Amino acid sequence: MALSLDLLGGSSYIWARKHNSIHHSYANITGHDDDIDLGHLARLSPHQRRLKFHRLQHFYLWALYGLLPIKWQFYDDFRAMVTGRIGEHQFAHPKGWDLVTFIGGKAVFFSLALVIPLLLHPVWAVLLFYVAASVVQGVVLSVVFQLAHCVEEAAFPLPRKDTGRMEAAWAVHQVETTVDFARGSRLLSWFIGGLNFQIEHHLFPQICHVHYPALSLLVEQTCKEYGLRYVTHETFLAGAASHFRWLRRMGIASGT
């Protein structure tokens, strides 16, 4: 099923390293978690440099989210393949069937999304529907991620300067840097594959998401027992509002 990402224009090989390995290991750690690094386009962490135009990022960034798939499909994956780097992290270039999957996946996607449609329909129609589908995909994926990590309640810790190590244990770090949202919405949970239970997704990535609702109650209770803050937004809109406020806060303040 992971190979279905290649049919959507992404690379399952790159994703396994960018998201499953790097993001899940270094969630919200500036300089390590590539998912919170949008370059000069935005400031998502209090430890990133603020530019003057970031004061408007809580407005313009929502539109840019829609361009994410196009950037992946045409640029990010190829750049990672050539450089062997994702942010500050190196990874092994794919070989054998992994390389075949990367090249074949890109070829199949571009054929299905652009080449074959262009043989049957006008250029404007093909580009219109390609961009429309990409925008929907990008906004959904980006907002789901941002509501879990780039909100007011999520922590953005840094390693200790003397040791380079994090203060908190791995599981504690996942809880502190992640926020659940709309846990009571079965429709949303079905639509996004349980990713509204992001805390449980980070703690138990190998457990099927259908168990997250039950797990979340156990995780929340355990956090209370050990005095660890467990945060969840009651609704999707509450999470979106928190993300909006966080973007505004990061855009106007040089500190936290």
Side-chain angles (χ1 to χ4, degrees), residues 27 185 189 202:
S185 175
S189 295
H202 271 254

Side-chain angles (χ1 to χ4, degrees), residues 7-26:
L7 294 178
L8 294 174
S11 168
S12 56
Y13 184 86
I14 301 296
W15 179 259
R17 283 134 192 89
K18 173 182 172 62
H19 184 81
N20 300 0
S21 178
I22 296 174
H23 168 65
H24 274 254
S25 298
Y26 306 99

Side-chain angles (χ1 to χ4, degrees), residues 4 38 45 56 88 110 115 150 152 163 173 182 191 194 214 242 254:
S4 62
L38 299 185
S45 163
L56 299 175
E88 298 299 320
F110 286 126
V115 177
C150 297
E152 299 166 298
T163 64
H173 177 89
F191 183 68
S242 182
S254 58

Side-chain angles (χ1 to χ4, degrees), residues 25-40:
S25 298
Y26 306 99
N28 277 20
I29 303 178
T30 306
H32 292 275
D33 184 0
D34 191 60
D35 283 2
I36 63 170
D37 184 4
L38 299 185
H40 295 306

